[in-house]
Amino acid sequence: MFGIIKIILGLIFLGMVLGFGYLWGSQKSYSIQNTLNMMRSELNSKIEGLEQGLRRTRMRMELMNARNYLVSAQTAIQNRNFGEAKKELENARQGILKVAEIAEARQKQELTVLASAVQEIQKQLNRPNPPARVGVEEAIRALDQFLS
């Protein structure tokens, strides 16, 4: 009789040990999964921040290129090389529009206005006595203000 009770108690004890082992093992895997999910979310937020920084840097570089085109156009106007000035102004306008495509809504509106101002300067170059130099200087100042 004692032998059967010992066997039954042994099987109950073995079942409890196996059950606790299973619970303990599954809890470890849950904590590992939880840690992995936290690390994944942190990594995604860092990647997002880096992508935003990269986008801002690319926008800034493109705007600096547009500014350089405007300065070249200003020099071409001073040298009365209106064909070269038109090309430089078109390059500047295209660069500004490229940045406007990826910019936020407020910045997009400002850049679109600036691009249309550059287009107006291009139209002024078609006139016999172009007053475009003042317009180019204003566009450069507006771009400098946007960059700062």
Side-chain angles (χ1 to χ4, degrees), residues 55-56 59 63 96 99-114 146:
R55 192 181 92 235
R56 279 193 304 267
M59 286 174 51
L63 289 175
I96 292 169
V99 172
E101 289 176 5
I102 59 174
E104 297 171 1
R106 181 185 56 84
Q107 294 173 332
K108 183 178 246 176
Q109 182 181 10
E110 292 175 14
L111 290 170
T112 305
V113 168
L114 184 59
F146 189 81

Side-chain angles (χ1 to χ4, degrees), residues 80-145:
R80 303 239 183 251
N81 188 351
F82 299 121
E84 181 68 25
K86 282 183 184 179
K87 283 195 279 185
E88 296 294 338
L89 287 169
E90 181 59 26
N91 289 336
R93 189 178 74 79
Q94 291 299 325
I96 292 169
L97 288 175
K98 186 190 289 186
V99 172
E101 289 176 5
I102 59 174
E104 297 171 1
R106 181 185 56 84
Q107 294 173 332
K108 183 178 246 176
Q109 182 181 10
E110 292 175 14
L111 290 170
T112 305
V113 168
L114 184 59
S116 63
V118 170
Q119 191 172 18
E120 275 301 312
I121 296 168
Q122 281 180 296
K123 289 178 184 176
Q124 288 177 2
L125 288 177
N126 293 331
R127 297 184 187 142
N129 188 8
R133 183 176 16 191
V134 174
V136 172
E137 290 172 359
E138 289 174 3
I140 290 172
R141 273 185 291 208
L143 200 53
D144 284 340
Q145 184 180 10

Side-chain angles (χ1 to χ4, degrees), residues 36-117:
L36 181 64
N37 287 339
M38 285 180 11
M39 290 173 65
R40 186 176 292 147
S41 67
E42 287 177 18
L43 186 61
N44 284 339
S45 67
K46 287 181 181 180
I47 288 172
E48 235 175 74
L50 289 173
E51 286 175 347
Q52 287 177 350
L54 182 61
R55 192 181 92 235
R56 279 193 304 267
T57 302
R58 284 182 179 159
M59 286 174 51
R60 187 165 180 80
M61 284 178 52
E62 193 64 42
L63 289 175
M64 290 299 292
N65 287 340
R67 185 187 186 287
N68 290 339
Y69 286 129
L70 287 173
V71 170
S72 295
Q74 185 180 30
T75 304
I77 290 170
Q78 288 172 351
N79 293 335
R80 303 239 183 251
N81 188 351
F82 299 121
E84 181 68 25
K86 282 183 184 179
K87 283 195 279 185
E88 296 294 338
L89 287 169
E90 181 59 26
N91 289 336
R93 189 178 74 79
Q94 291 299 325
I96 292 169
L97 288 175
K98 186 190 289 186
V99 172
E101 289 176 5
I102 59 174
E104 297 171 1
R106 181 185 56 84
Q107 294 173 332
K108 183 178 246 176
Q109 182 181 10
E110 292 175 14
L111 290 170
T112 305
V113 168
L114 184 59
S116 63

